[in-house]
Amino acid sequence: MSIKVNQQEHQLTKLSIENEMTIYTALEHKTTLTDHLKNNKDIQIDLSGVTEIDCAGLQLLLFLKRQAIEQQINLTLTQHSQAVVEVFELLDLGNHFGDPIVISADWKQ
Amino acid sequence: MSEFDSALKIFAQESEQLLLDMEGALLSLESDPDDSEMINSLFRAMHTIKGSSGLFGFNPIVAFTHEAESVLDKVRNNERAIDGELISVMLDSKDHTARLIEHCLSSPDQPLPDELTVASDALIKRLTGKQHTHIQAQATDTSQVHSEGGGNISIDDSWLISLDFRDNAFRNGMDPLSFIRYLKTLGEIKQILTFFPEMPHGEVMDPESCYLHFKIAFTSDASKQTIESVFEYAADDCDIKILPPNSKVNAYLQLLDSLDENHVSRLGEMLIQVGALTEHDVEHALKDQSDAQQDTAKPLGEILVEQQMVQKPVVEHALKKQEQTKQKVAAENSYIRVDADKLGHLINLVGELVISSAAMNLIVERHGLTDAGDVAASMNSLVSSIRDTALELRMVQIGETFSRFRRVVRDVSNELGKEIDLQISGGETELDKTVVEKINDPLMHLIRNSLDHGIESPAQRLAVGKPAQGIVQLNAYHESGHIVIQIADDGAGLDSDKIVEKAIANGIIKADHSLTQQEIYNLIFAAGLSTKAQATNLSGRGVGMDVVKKNIEALRGSVMIDSIPGEGTTISIQLPLTLAIIDGFMVGTEQVRYIIPLSMVDECIEMDSTESEINEIEHFINLRGHALPYLRLGEYFNTPKSNVVKKHESVVVVKFGQDRAGFVVDELHGEHQTVIKPLGKMFEKLKGITGATVLGDGNVALILDVQGLIEAAIGKRKRKPALLH
Amino acid sequence: MAKTIMIVDDSASIRQVVTIALKGAGYDVIEAVDGKDALSKLTGQKINLIITDVNMPIMDGITFVQEAKKLAAYKFTPMMMLTTESADDKKQAGKAAGAKAWLTKPFQAPTLLDAVSKLVLP
């Protein structure tokens, strides 16, 4: 499973997504992540392990964010990997998700 | 008078003139918003007034004109577009400036009264409130934008690219991100909006379906073709719209101006040539156009603008250019003005030539002169070319006649308090000048009728959910040797109950009539029938429609009416292209010869064939299983029967509009060029005959009134009781 | 991580030119000589784009695309057909099978890289 639960307490869940977030994983990711949306008030998703993200992966993040807002859940994306940052910058979506993006110094440019 | 006073006087005069010029410029910009000379003159007016007001210390004028000047400077630099709203603000600003000047001149020491201050502020707000053309102004449906990539996009220098991906994009291996990454290699993405208005919530959302739409403002020197090719592979899975930057518009306009003026191109071709459109755009728009129902199909230019493929000014400019080129090409063709009488004489002579040539053929045939046969044949074909060319000389386009009705429609709709748009198509359709001259009055009457009876008042229209503005369409086209002129309105349609009521009251029909809807509509052409409860001075007095029908029939034409209650009425006039010579089909019965206009002949059948048989009792011909009404021409015209026993009969199947009938004759003589000689006054009332012609052997053949005879045949069939049912 | 592209063509020279061009641009390349060979090399590894010729012995390109689309690991992989100018019907057949991109033969290396980079940047 490419989604790991790192911490789960008092309606706060910290998850991390590993490897790719693409059309090939979209269905599986959607099922797992929407399940987590059901029982939590706070969700943090660590994206540092995302090696590849395509438009289907991005669409899923957009979907989750909208879903979370509708269910009044705090959805926070953290530790954006280089692949995620590249896509957010390409589509100018940083503000949309509203999470601070930390750019690591050791990324190859 | 001090020097200062005289300077003030000059200032007053100069300002007045400048403001007057400004008003003129604004009004002309309304119709041609790209006229840079006019924009300059606006700018000059505000600039000069500001400058000289400063000299005199008229600060309120300086403050106000400064704002107007800055806005106009933006317009001048193509940073802001001239639109109706700006023009109206500018007109108000002009009036306001005049008031400010008046105040400063009359009471230079008084502070500005409150109402002028308030007006200044309000106008400044209107002037500066909308500085830029925003993406919102261009995008079709931004109310659904969910993901704001940060406010508005200033697109004056940017291409506006809309990508609406469809469900299967991801499944087909298309990653929108790849195309956008590639796009970045061609230029700079100024702003990008991502939105997903149709993405379902919860379970229903399929993460493998694509719900994303993008709007991208993009600056690049690449051509539209190149930008389009970025998304080439996505074309099946994405609606792609690429609108050139506003700043490119001027470049396109200049390129359009420099196009070759010696060749008329089609709109799409011109726009591709200057790079405003790609072939793909045009194909797409043409397909949309041909997919649309005929009555809803729009001009290509309109579709292109609607689909945001290109800006409206570019299309308008191209159309203007096209028109100019057309005129230039037309003007370069040299014309000779010829006396119409001379032309008429020529055509008469050609008519005689046709008859003589027929006579010569007859002699050649009778004497079996094979050598002469070839010569006669080639002369024959020459004669028919001469005939066609001579008739063409008198052909004129109907467009000019149509255009005259614009004014009529404008005046009449004002008079009636209605909003009516006249749409003209088929103006290039040609017909004989003599026909054009005679059709003018009937057309005028029919159009006035449409305006008065057809189109409802704006209030009535709005009440039934139609747009306040009514539409009258004038259309012309050729159909089987005839010209068809249609007058269609989108008004209330004919009220068949009222027509019947009135017709019964006037004794035109009996109360127990069994008329079809079509026949009821045609009653409006009967004398003394008007359904409009209140007659206006335009129409409605019950005279006119019968005269219209008579005039049209005098031209060997016909008029038909069709109507859908609530949706409108269409009147179709069918006219022969010329009144002089026709291609005829000659038949004979009981030694008398008749000519049927060839364009109305459908087919000829030998009666002893197995395909058809005559049912004398029910009065129809069984033609391959269909009942066809018929007439025996000999019987109809009461020609004395000869004693010769007939071997067999033939049937000529004729058609007119939707109707068909069979004429039973003894002999088929074949095609014959027919010079129409009008019948004398004595024979005018003769039923079934519209004219006569002189044959090569000197005998006379009668030209049949096919429409009348078909009606007679149909009538005859109806009166026969159905015995066998 | 370099992107991987598979090139399927029975012509050794075309395979070679394509491979050199793609490797030079920074892609990893897998070669196959026909549809059947290509299918046997689709073993679950990540492939970002498949470029295939249409006319090949043993298994033609259109059948290959249809078969590859049935494999879970490749059903969403973009496919590009190499067609000849005259074979528009092949292009349509390829599109119907699932290869939405195409490149007209003969082509030169820059054209290929341009077409490829619309779908996958290295």
Side-chain angles (χ1 to χ4, degrees):
Chain A
M1 179 59 90
S2 59
I3 297 180
K4 279 194 217 145
V5 181
N6 302 326
Q7 191 187 337
Q8 197 163 22
E9 58 187 25
H10 305 302
Q11 298 194 320
L12 167 74
T13 297
K14 290 187 176 178
L15 304 166
S16 63
I17 302 178
E18 305 285 325
N19 302 323
E20 60 179 83
M21 282 194 78
T22 64
I23 176 76
Y24 286 103
T25 59
L27 197 55
E28 178 201 331
H29 284 174
K30 189 209 169 195
T31 315
T32 313
L33 292 168
T34 43
D35 273 352
H36 285 293
L37 278 185
K38 279 175 193 154
N39 308 313
N40 290 286
K41 279 284 150 213
D42 257 304
I43 295 182
Q44 283 181 18
I45 305 179
D46 179 342
L47 297 174
S48 61
V50 176
T51 53
E52 186 189 355
I53 178 166
D54 70 0
C55 216
L58 173 84
Q59 178 177 270
L60 185 61
L61 288 179
L62 290 168
F63 169 76
L64 289 170
K65 183 74 185 176
R66 189 183 72 183
Q67 209 69 6
I69 291 170
E70 281 167 7
Q71 299 173 28
Q72 297 181 324
I73 295 167
N74 257 332
L75 176 78
T76 321
L77 305 176
T78 63
Q79 306 284 316
H80 308 66
S81 72
Q82 191 179 0
V84 176
V85 172
E86 190 266 334
V87 170
F88 278 21
E89 280 182 350
L90 183 68
L91 299 186
D92 194 16
L93 287 171
N95 289 334
H96 174 73
F97 288 100
D99 308 309
I101 296 174
V102 182
I103 298 197
S104 167
D106 54 354
W107 284 351
K108 290 171 282 178
Q109 285 303 312
Chain B
M1 193 191 277
S2 73
E3 270 184 31
F4 185 74
D5 283 341
S6 87
L8 267 184
K9 205 171 174 191
I10 293 169
F11 168 69
Q13 284 168 353
E14 184 190 67
S15 306
E16 198 185 332
Q17 186 57 48
L18 283 166
L19 291 175
L20 213 63
D21 290 350
M22 181 174 173
E23 184 170 80
L26 282 167
L27 292 176
S28 77
L29 278 171
E30 219 160 27
S31 54
D32 186 3
D34 299 317
D35 191 332
S36 55
E37 193 39 55
M38 290 297 152
I39 294 171
N40 275 332
S41 109
L42 287 184
F43 178 82
R44 266 198 313 274
M46 286 291 113
H47 181 76
T48 315
I49 292 174
K50 179 180 120 181
S52 23
S53 307
L55 278 178
F56 297 107
F58 296 151
N59 290 331
I61 305 178
V62 176
F64 180 74
T65 48
H66 173 73
E67 297 294 343
E69 184 196 353
S70 337
V71 170
L72 288 169
D73 194 35
K74 287 208 171 71
V75 172
R76 216 162 55 141
N77 297 330
N78 288 321
E79 286 164 36
R80 178 161 175 175
I82 281 264
D83 53 16
E85 198 185 315
L86 184 61
I87 288 174
S88 81
V89 179
M90 278 294 165
L91 281 171
D92 291 349
S93 303
K94 176 244 148 196
D95 294 342
H96 184 67
T97 310
R99 277 194 297 274
L100 289 175
I101 292 173
E102 196 191 324
H103 168 82
C104 290
L105 288 176
S106 60
S107 39
D109 304 323
Q110 299 287 318
L112 211 56
D114 281 352
E115 77 250 24
L116 280 182
T117 317
V118 170
S120 279
D121 289 350
L123 273 173
I124 288 171
K125 209 168 182 181
R126 281 172 69 197
L127 278 169
T128 55
K130 256 177 65 182
Q131 294 262 351
H132 296 284
T133 313
H134 290 134
I135 199 167
Q136 264 74 0
Q138 303 267 344
T140 43
D141 205 358
T142 43
S143 61
Q144 294 183 326
V145 175
H146 281 249
S147 153
E148 303 82 15
N152 301 318
I153 295 180
S154 169
I155 57 151
D156 279 354
D157 298 323
S158 306
W159 295 82
L160 183 63
I161 304 171
S162 302
L163 303 173
D164 299 329
F165 283 92
R166 289 194 271 267
D167 280 8
N168 276 330
F170 296 159
R171 293 190 194 95
N172 285 325
M174 296 298 126
D175 185 355
L177 298 177
S178 305
F179 299 113
I180 296 169
R181 282 189 194 107
Y182 182 87
L183 184 69
K184 268 175 78 178
T185 64
L186 294 179
E188 192 187 341
I189 293 178
K190 283 286 181 191
Q191 197 123 35
I192 181 163
L193 300 183
T194 309
F195 53 108
F196 36 89
E198 299 115 28
M199 180 155 78
H201 297 250
E203 290 292 303
V204 197
M205 186 268 188
D206 179 351
E208 290 176 1
S209 288
C210 183
Y211 304 106
L212 299 180
H213 301 254
F214 299 93
K215 284 198 188 298
I216 304 170
F218 181 64
T219 52
S220 169
D221 294 333
S223 68
K224 188 167 191 185
Q225 183 81 48
T226 310
I227 296 177
E228 190 187 73
S229 76
V230 172
F231 305 101
E232 188 178 25
Y233 298 147
D236 280 5
D237 300 303
C238 183
D239 282 325
I240 305 157
K241 284 171 195 153
I242 303 169
L243 186 69
N246 287 341
S247 56
K248 275 237 172 200
V249 167
N250 277 331
Y252 291 144
L253 297 185
Q254 275 167 18
L255 281 168
L256 279 170
D257 278 335
S258 63
L259 283 182
D260 180 16
E261 292 204 343
N262 296 315
H263 178 68
V264 183
S265 309
R266 294 199 280 189
L267 177 63
E269 285 169 5
M270 293 169 73
L271 292 172
I272 292 173
Q273 221 174 330
V274 300
L277 288 181
T278 63
E279 274 173 43
H280 177 258
D281 289 341
V282 174
E283 261 171 44
H284 197 84
L286 285 174
K287 188 170 172 298
D288 278 8
Q289 191 182 34
S290 62
D291 283 354
Q293 294 293 323
Q294 205 167 19
D295 47 341
T296 59
K298 290 179 183 154
L300 182 65
E302 222 170 282
I303 295 177
L304 292 169
V305 173
E306 248 173 42
Q307 300 196 341
Q308 299 190 17
M309 288 175 179
V310 67
Q311 282 89 344
K312 200 172 173 190
V314 179
V315 170
E316 280 171 355
H317 199 79
L319 287 172
K320 214 161 105 188
K321 171 83 181 178
Q322 194 181 33
E323 192 52 40
Q324 277 170 3
T325 312
K326 264 187 202 164
Q327 281 172 2
K328 186 156 184 273
V329 169
E332 276 174 5
N333 293 335
S334 50
Y335 285 108
I336 304 174
R337 293 171 67 95
V338 179
D339 188 342
D341 287 344
K342 282 189 186 168
L343 208 55
H345 188 55
L346 173 68
I347 284 168
N348 281 340
L349 286 178
V350 170
E352 299 298 332
L353 179 64
V354 169
I355 294 172
S356 311
S357 142
M360 195 186 68
N361 278 333
L362 210 67
I363 291 164
V364 169
E365 222 170 276
R366 193 177 296 156
H367 295 280
L369 304 171
T370 31
D371 313 0
D374 293 345
V375 183
S378 81
M379 206 184 86
N380 243 353
S381 84
L382 279 175
V383 166
S384 55
S385 313
I386 291 173
R387 178 199 66 164
D388 291 346
T389 316
L391 288 178
E392 241 169 58
L393 293 177
R394 272 211 313 215
M395 290 295 200
V396 292
Q397 298 194 345
I398 199 165
E400 200 190 321
T401 309
F402 277 6
S403 315
R404 271 190 241 154
F405 292 114
R406 284 199 188 281
R407 183 64 194 272
V408 175
V409 169
R410 198 184 142 271
D411 290 354
V412 170
S413 38
N414 282 344
E415 197 176 316
L416 296 171
K418 295 178 180 179
E419 291 169 41
I420 298 167
D421 181 27
L422 179 68
Q423 295 176 351
I424 290 175
S425 52
E428 70 286 348
T429 316
E430 289 190 326
L431 76 166
D432 197 310
K433 192 164 176 14
T434 49
V435 183
V436 171
E437 281 161 3
K438 289 176 182 160
I439 198 62
N440 206 22
D441 286 349
L443 269 184
M444 174 77 81
H445 198 93
L446 291 172
I447 288 172
R448 283 180 166 237
N449 241 345
S450 278
L451 300 176
D452 192 17
H453 292 299
I455 306 281
E456 317 90 321
S457 69
Q460 283 168 321
R461 291 180 64 88
L462 289 173
V464 295
K466 291 188 198 177
Q469 189 181 50
I471 294 171
V472 173
Q473 288 173 316
L474 262 180
N475 184 25
Y477 56 91
H478 282 151
E479 191 183 73
S480 59
H482 283 71
I483 183 172
V484 180
I485 301 172
Q486 280 182 329
I487 302 132
D489 66 60
D490 68 343
L494 292 175
D495 184 340
S496 52
D497 293 343
K498 254 193 203 166
I499 297 174
V500 169
E501 197 184 300
K502 193 96 181 188
I504 294 171
N506 289 3
I508 297 167
I509 55 168
K510 292 214 170 75
D512 58 345
H513 73 94
S514 57
L515 296 177
T516 63
Q517 200 67 9
Q518 188 69 45
E519 285 165 329
I520 291 171
Y521 290 147
N522 280 319
L523 284 176
I524 69 162
F525 293 115
L529 194 108
S530 170
T531 60
K532 180 96 181 189
Q534 193 168 17
T536 67
N537 63 347
L538 290 171
S539 54
R541 287 192 218 89
V543 288
M545 284 305 252
D546 57 326
V547 179
V548 167
K549 190 179 165 97
K550 237 180 247 162
N551 285 346
I552 291 169
E553 283 175 349
L555 296 171
R556 289 188 297 116
S558 68
V559 55
M560 275 181 297
I561 189 157
D562 200 11
S563 182
I564 301 171
E567 287 182 29
T569 306
T570 303
I571 296 171
S572 306
I573 302 171
Q574 207 179 20
L575 289 171
L577 290 180
T578 172
L579 301 176
I581 302 177
I582 56 168
D583 274 321
F585 187 82
M586 190 155 64
V587 297
T589 191
E590 312 288 0
Q591 312 296 316
V592 182
R593 297 202 172 172
Y594 303 97
I595 303 278
I596 304 167
L598 191 63
S599 57
M600 296 180 176
V601 175
D602 212 17
E603 59 176 326
C604 301
I605 309 156
E606 298 275 337
M607 277 316 291
D608 51 2
S609 73
T610 51
E611 279 182 341
S612 56
E613 56 175 346
I614 290 188
N615 184 329
E616 298 273 3
I617 301 159
E618 286 198 65
H619 208 88
F620 69 85
I621 296 173
N622 179 350
L623 176 63
R624 295 184 286 268
H626 292 280
L628 184 74
Y630 74 91
L631 271 187
R632 276 179 209 280
L633 290 185
E635 269 174 27
Y636 184 84
F637 291 112
N638 283 326
T639 28
K641 286 206 173 178
S642 58
N643 296 324
V644 185
V645 179
K646 275 178 237 168
K647 290 203 178 88
H648 63 263
E649 291 175 312
S650 296
V651 175
V652 181
V653 180
V654 293
K655 58 166 191 275
F656 186 85
Q658 305 298 321
D659 299 326
R660 277 152 50 101
F663 294 164
V664 182
V665 297
D666 294 343
E667 301 148 15
L668 302 174
H669 291 285
E671 291 181 29
H672 182 88
Q673 281 192 37
T674 309
V675 181
I676 300 172
K677 301 270 175 189
L679 291 174
K681 281 263 177 230
M682 256 179 91
F683 304 106
E684 240 174 22
K685 303 269 175 198
L686 213 55
K687 282 218 169 217
I689 303 287
T690 61
T693 187
V694 181
L695 299 175
D697 57 10
N699 283 327
V700 168
L702 298 171
I703 300 167
L704 296 180
D705 165 20
V706 173
Q707 186 194 6
L709 290 173
I710 289 180
E711 273 166 21
I714 293 172
K716 204 159 186 176
R717 163 145 164 69
K718 269 198 189 144
R719 281 195 297 276
K720 293 283 168 181
L723 294 175
L724 301 175
H725 285 267
Chain C
M1 199 173 69
K3 300 282 170 30
T4 307
I5 297 177
M6 174 182 258
I7 166 72
V8 190
D9 200 312
D10 55 329
S11 151
S13 60
I14 288 189
R15 280 203 312 276
Q16 199 179 359
V17 171
V18 170
T19 304
I20 291 171
L22 291 177
K23 282 192 170 164
Y27 298 97
D28 286 343
V29 181
I30 300 174
E31 292 181 46
V33 297
D34 61 56
K36 204 167 174 212
D37 181 37
L39 282 177
S40 75
K41 287 174 178 164
L42 292 178
T43 52
Q45 78 277 43
K46 182 90 191 169
I47 291 180
N48 299 89
L49 172 66
I50 296 173
I51 304 174
T52 176
D53 187 21
V54 179
N55 292 312
M56 293 180 292
I58 308 178
M59 184 190 284
D60 66 75
I62 289 167
T63 315
F64 164 63
V65 167
Q66 285 164 344
E67 291 300 313
K69 283 268 162 197
K70 289 180 194 162
L71 302 171
Y74 304 101
K75 60 178 175 178
F76 302 133
T77 303
M79 313 260 183
M80 180 184 288
M81 282 275 177
L82 301 179
T83 60
T84 49
E85 193 74 64
S86 54
D88 194 56
D89 53 328
K90 290 279 193 231
K91 185 168 124 186
Q92 295 312 324
K95 278 189 166 192
K100 297 291 171 178
W102 66 93
L103 190 62
T104 307
K105 288 207 280 192
F107 52 80
Q108 291 188 322
T111 316
L112 170 79
L113 288 175
D114 200 46
V116 166
S117 54
K118 284 174 191 171
L119 297 166
V120 185
L121 280 175

